[in-house]
Amino acid sequence: MSVYLDYQAAKPVDERVLKAMLPYFNEIYANPESLHHEGDLATEALEKAREKVASFINAPDPESIIFTSGATESNNLALIGSALRNKKKGNHVIISEIEHISILNIAKYLERQGFKISRIPVDQYGIIKLEKLERLITDETILISIAGASNEVGSLQPVKEISEIAKEKGVLFHSDVVALESSIPIDVQEIPYDFLSLSSNDIYGPRGMGALYLKKGQRVNPIIIGGGQERGIRSGSHDMAGVVGFGTASVIMKREIHEEAHRLKGYRDELIKGVLESIPKSYLNGHPVKRLPHNAHFRFDYIEGESLLLGLKDKKIAVATGSACSSKTLEPSHTLIAMGLLHEEAHGSLVITLGRFTKKSDIDKLLHELPEVVKRLRILSPLTPPELLEYYKVVNK
Amino acid sequence: MSVYLDYQAAKPVDERVLKAMLPYFNEIYANPESLHHEGDLATEALEKAREKVASFINAPDPESIIFTSGATESNNLALIGSALRNKKKGNHVIISEIEHISILNIAKYLERQGFKISRIPVDQYGIIKLEKLERLITDETILISIAGASNEVGSLQPVKEISEIAKEKGVLFHSDVVALESSIPIDVQEIPYDFLSLSSNDIYGPRGMGALYLKKGQRVNPIIIGGGQERGIRSGSHDMAGVVGFGTASVIMKREIHEEAHRLKGYRDELIKGVLESIPKSYLNGHPVKRLPHNAHFRFDYIEGESLLLGLKDKKIAVATGSACSSKTLEPSHTLIAMGLLHEEAHGSLVITLGRFTKKSDIDKLLHELPEVVKRLRILSPLTPPELLEYYKVVNK
């Protein structure tokens, strides 16, 4: 039996979600724009799904949910759409050094369009320095975009404080909350986000589906133009099965998030304790407490994350190294470098993300196999110091 | 039993396609970017689907297929992406007067960005005037975008001739072929398109899924920026079930298109003959022969398309009026106006589109109900002339 511990990269669709989606492939399949009875049924399903997603983040107005093809598109719409819309007010956008690659690349795009981008540094735990944020804001600042949690090291950002600073300074605040959707409740009435990027798959809904939350009164320029669906903000015929699945996933996640997060936190802590105790020269990256309940991010001296990943692949355990979205590049993680790690340290990292279908036995299997894989790689590594090799010899007996 | 004759607006997903998709929701669900075994399986499925879509349009190189969230996004990518990429070569783009609303609105966007847009007029059948195209091309022209068939009136455009003119003049040629995908084979080796917009749902695949065909060597600027998926042209995690469904739908459509088109053409001709014979003052819009095998577009004097649609809705028959994508606006169809119809004529139109699951009995039912609905509305209409009312009285006996 294989063990999947890469929930941050992709999640299975919950059976209950899939069941709710099925009629929308070939029973209720009309275009909600159509005026006939079948179109009415589609419109009804679309608006019910919108209410469910709105309720998931406690948004009072379902209209604040704009369906998109996923969080990457939502990030584009939030950053490019609001920067272009507000360019007369200013040309300065603030992000952090450890944003998801989609935000980093959008920021580079905006720079080429003449916007000025500031990147807030983070501390050793990957948490942004709030006092730097305050100092970076100028009269030209129109937008702050900081993810609620690092999708890599799992550190939680002080979004409440960021939102207060943004509000006080009259700057818009966007947050990509994809990494925390499945384990930390989101409440737009408690934290006054202007824009949120949401992903359906990250709450066990279908892929190719996401949303942008737009606070009432906020607008963005569209980036996909056409028939004027989604209040003209996102054109294109609706993926009915997709929106229905996203809606259903929202209801389930909202109901189960506390219990699920609690369970995963237990597994995570067991995993962290087990790894740090059983493997010498192993370290936890990111904050020990202010971190996602489902994320454990380790670093091991003298070996490479890629080799570790392949070693675990042989044992039928799926994990990640570096950022989930760019694991095919061999660049060290920009997040770990921003946290002050050396290149060689960043290269020796392993990201383990748990999810709804993670079992205690998955953690046990990883704790059983990982020390052996690390040991084998270290014995082969020219970097391993003699005393550690000696240690392994002794322990082996 | 209700009758669905609005296939241009939305199609059900073929059972065989859905069956192929199912394992990709919660069995093979990893991110193809991931390096573990599950990621390898996803990559394999992704590339197989790409080959299938490429084969559907006879593209020799699977890499020429860029997966998107649908045809609207593909249109944006083709027009905005290539206009921005080629703006140093020129600032002139040619479309037709009867393009899909997504192309029309993208063209308006490009105008606001400083591009010059020409709109080729069409003849009374909705077919573009080729000689006008030749005259419109200048040294500044970078792109021609003309749909292979009108999604409204079903008229087929002379794409072969357009492609030859474009090639001779060194201008790029994009075509939105969504309206004809399900009934006319597409061959990019026979017609040298530079870009094609494809839709998955229009060949009975899942919604929220499409592709842009990019001829080898052509590039476009991305409009959704992020992790660099799809050769950096379209970022965002892949919708695995979606791409697999699109691939499967491509294989089935390629195999069955001739037989299916032949069958639908038979139904269509029966429908046209039946309507024109049984309903006085009824007309076929679009070309009698050069039209989509699955499209019949009628106009009826003295009544409104919306009333007709609602009358048929009462009889459980789903049809469309005006353009499928903007039926909720009350504007007369831009296509019919471009074809020279008066506003009141354009308002009295009805679009019937057939598809894979249309049965002979559906046509019979429409032919049975439509004359009665038209008659009832005409008797109520103040525009109906006395001699027609007299005719109905006589016929009624």
Side-chain angles (χ1 to χ4, degrees), chain A residues 286-349:
Chain A
H287 201 279
V289 179
K290 295 178 189 168
R291 71 183 305 130
L292 291 169
H294 62 269
N295 171 299
H297 193 298
F298 299 104
R299 178 164 60 79
F300 304 94
D301 282 350
Y302 320 124
I303 51 177
E304 300 257 305
E306 276 74 23
S307 317
L308 261 175
L309 188 144
L310 295 175
L312 289 168
K313 186 175 178 174
D314 285 345
K315 306 286 181 191
K316 298 197 174 179
I317 299 175
V319 296
T321 175
S323 155
C325 280
S326 58
S327 41
K328 281 187 178 167
T329 75
L330 291 174
E331 286 295 297
S333 152
H334 65 279
T335 301
L336 299 178
I337 298 301
M339 285 160 63
L341 267 68
L342 300 172
H343 274 228
E344 57 270 31
E345 291 173 331
H347 270 304
S349 73

Side-chain angles (χ1 to χ4, degrees), chain B residues 17 20-21 45-46 48-54 56 67 200 203 205-206 209 240-254:
Chain B
V17 170
M21 290 168 71
L46 172 65
K48 267 193 191 156
R50 198 186 305 282
E51 284 168 21
K52 289 171 182 172
V53 177
F56 173 59
F67 287 115
S200 156
I203 54 171
M209 182 50 56
M240 289 309 300
V243 296
V244 167
F246 191 9
T248 305
S250 298
V251 171
I252 297 171
M253 195 80 248
K254 188 176 181 174

Side-chain angles (χ1 to χ4, degrees), chain B residues 110-293:
Chain B
L110 287 175
E111 277 178 326
R112 290 195 298 273
Q113 303 295 312
F115 288 88
K116 205 170 151 273
I117 307 289
S118 297
R119 292 164 181 85
I120 316 172
V122 295
D123 65 17
Q124 59 177 317
Y125 298 118
I127 296 175
I128 68 147
K129 297 175 178 170
L130 272 178
E131 70 284 3
K132 295 260 180 176
L133 171 62
E134 290 216 66
R135 268 182 280 146
L136 281 171
I137 297 172
T138 71
D139 288 349
E140 287 291 311
T141 311
I142 50 177
L143 179 70
I144 298 167
S145 176
I146 293 169
S150 159
N151 67 310
E152 277 192 75
V153 294
S155 310
L156 302 177
Q157 301 299 347
V159 280
K160 177 106 180 133
E161 290 78 0
I162 299 169
S163 74
E164 281 159 6
I165 294 170
K167 205 174 177 182
E168 194 199 307
K169 303 271 188 177
V171 176
L172 297 169
F173 178 33
H174 165 255
S175 189
D176 174 348
V177 290
V178 165
L180 58 76
E181 276 181 284
S182 64
S183 51
I184 294 174
I186 302 162
D187 185 337
V188 299
Q189 297 193 49
E190 192 197 322
I191 299 179
Y193 299 103
D194 295 289
F195 315 110
L196 287 180
S197 294
L198 299 164
S199 151
S200 156
N201 184 239
D202 282 82
I203 54 171
Y204 307 94
R207 304 268 273 279
M209 182 50 56
L212 180 68
Y213 161 76
L214 276 184
K215 190 179 175 174
K216 205 175 171 114
Q218 291 302 348
R219 292 281 296 187
V220 291
N221 283 4
I223 56 170
I224 295 184
I225 296 158
Q229 289 89 345
E230 297 294 302
R231 296 195 280 136
I233 297 168
R234 208 294 185 175
S235 290
S237 293
H238 287 97
D239 170 6
M240 289 309 300
V243 296
V244 167
F246 191 9
T248 305
S250 298
V251 171
I252 297 171
M253 195 80 248
K254 188 176 181 174
R255 193 171 58 218
E256 302 182 357
I257 194 165
H258 292 284
E259 194 190 320
E260 198 163 307
H262 181 75
R263 185 175 62 87
L264 296 181
K265 190 166 169 292
Y267 289 169
R268 179 202 71 184
D269 290 343
E270 194 180 327
L271 183 64
I272 293 174
K273 189 161 172 281
V275 166
L276 298 183
E277 279 180 7
S278 66
I279 303 176
K281 301 278 183 183
S282 64
Y283 313 89
L284 179 72
N285 290 323
H287 201 279
V289 179
K290 295 179 188 167
R291 71 182 305 130
L292 290 169

Side-chain angles (χ1 to χ4, degrees), chain A residues 6 29 36 105 207 226 313, chain B residues 6 29 36 40 105 207 226:
Chain A
D6 192 14
Y29 54 82
H36 43 62
N105 283 338
R207 304 268 273 278
K313 186 175 178 174
Chain B
D6 192 15
Y29 55 81
H36 43 64
D40 296 346
N105 283 338
R207 304 268 273 279

Side-chain angles (χ1 to χ4, degrees), chain A residues 6 9-10 13 25-26 29 31-36 40 69 76 105 207 225-226 234 238 313 319 327-328, chain B residues 4 6 9-10 13 25-26 29 31-36 40 69 76 105 207 225-226 234 238 313 319 327-328:
Chain A
D6 192 14
V13 175
F25 287 105
N26 47 25
Y29 54 82
N31 192 325
E33 297 288 306
S34 295
L35 295 172
H36 43 62
D40 296 344
S69 70
N76 278 261
N105 283 338
R207 304 268 273 278
I225 296 158
R234 207 295 186 175
H238 287 97
K313 186 175 178 174
V319 296
S327 41
K328 281 187 178 167
Chain B
Y4 184 80
D6 192 15
V13 175
F25 287 105
N26 46 25
Y29 55 81
N31 192 325
E33 297 289 307
S34 295
L35 295 171
H36 43 64
D40 296 346
S69 70
N76 278 262
N105 283 338
R207 304 268 273 279
I225 296 158
R234 208 294 185 175
H238 287 97
K313 187 175 179 175
V319 296
S327 40
K328 280 187 180 168

Side-chain angles (χ1 to χ4, degrees), chain A residues 2-4 6-7 9-15 18 21-22 24-27 29-40 43 69 72-73 76 80 84 100-103 105-106 109 112 201 206-208 222-229 234-240 306 309-310 313 316-321 324-328, chain B residues 2-4 6-7 9-15 18 21-22 24-27 29-40 43 69 72-73 76 80 84 100-103 105-106 109 112 201 206-208 222-229 234-240 306 309-310 313 316-321 324-328:
Chain A
S2 64
V3 169
Y4 184 79
D6 192 14
Y7 275 82
K11 291 184 174 68
V13 175
D14 190 297
E15 279 287 351
L18 183 54
M21 291 169 70
L22 287 178
Y24 293 86
F25 287 105
N26 47 25
E27 291 169 39
Y29 54 82
N31 192 325
E33 297 288 306
S34 295
L35 295 172
H36 43 62
H37 177 64
E38 288 73 6
D40 296 344
T43 299
S69 70
T72 292
E73 186 188 328
N76 278 261
I80 301 174
L84 293 179
H100 184 270
I101 187 163
S102 71
I103 299 284
N105 283 338
I106 292 165
Y109 170 82
R112 290 194 298 273
N201 184 239
R207 304 268 273 278
I223 56 171
I224 295 184
I225 296 158
Q229 288 89 345
R234 207 295 186 175
S235 291
S237 292
H238 287 97
D239 170 6
M240 289 309 301
E306 276 74 23
L309 188 144
L310 295 175
K313 186 175 178 174
K316 298 197 174 179
I317 299 175
V319 296
T321 175
C325 280
S326 58
S327 41
K328 281 187 178 167
Chain B
S2 64
V3 169
Y4 184 80
D6 192 15
Y7 275 83
K11 291 185 175 68
V13 175
D14 191 297
E15 278 288 350
L18 183 56
M21 290 168 71
L22 286 177
Y24 292 87
F25 287 105
N26 46 25
E27 292 169 37
Y29 55 81
N31 192 325
E33 297 289 307
S34 295
L35 295 171
H36 43 64
H37 177 64
E38 287 74 5
D40 296 346
T43 299
S69 70
T72 291
E73 185 188 329
N76 278 262
I80 301 174
L84 293 178
H100 184 270
I101 188 163
S102 71
I103 299 284
N105 283 338
I106 293 164
Y109 169 83
R112 290 195 298 273
N201 184 239
R207 304 268 273 279
I223 56 170
I224 295 184
I225 296 158
Q229 289 89 345
R234 208 294 185 175
S235 290
S237 293
H238 287 97
D239 170 6
M240 289 309 300
E306 277 73 24
L309 188 145
L310 295 175
K313 187 175 179 175
K316 297 196 173 181
I317 300 175
V319 296
T321 176
C325 282
S326 56
S327 40
K328 280 187 180 168

Side-chain angles (χ1 to χ4, degrees), chain B residues 348-389:
Chain B
S349 71
L350 195 71
V351 192
I352 292 153
T353 44
L354 319 175
R356 184 170 288 168
F357 308 103
T358 302
K359 299 180 296 288
K360 171 82 169 68
S361 61
D362 298 334
I363 307 297
D364 294 344
K365 171 146 183 182
L366 182 68
L367 284 175
H368 178 72
E369 301 287 2
L370 183 62
E372 275 303 304
V373 172
V374 170
K375 176 182 160 183
R376 189 163 47 81
L377 291 171
R378 280 179 172 168
I379 288 172
L380 295 172
S381 167
L383 301 170
T384 311
E387 60 273 20
L388 189 57
L389 291 173

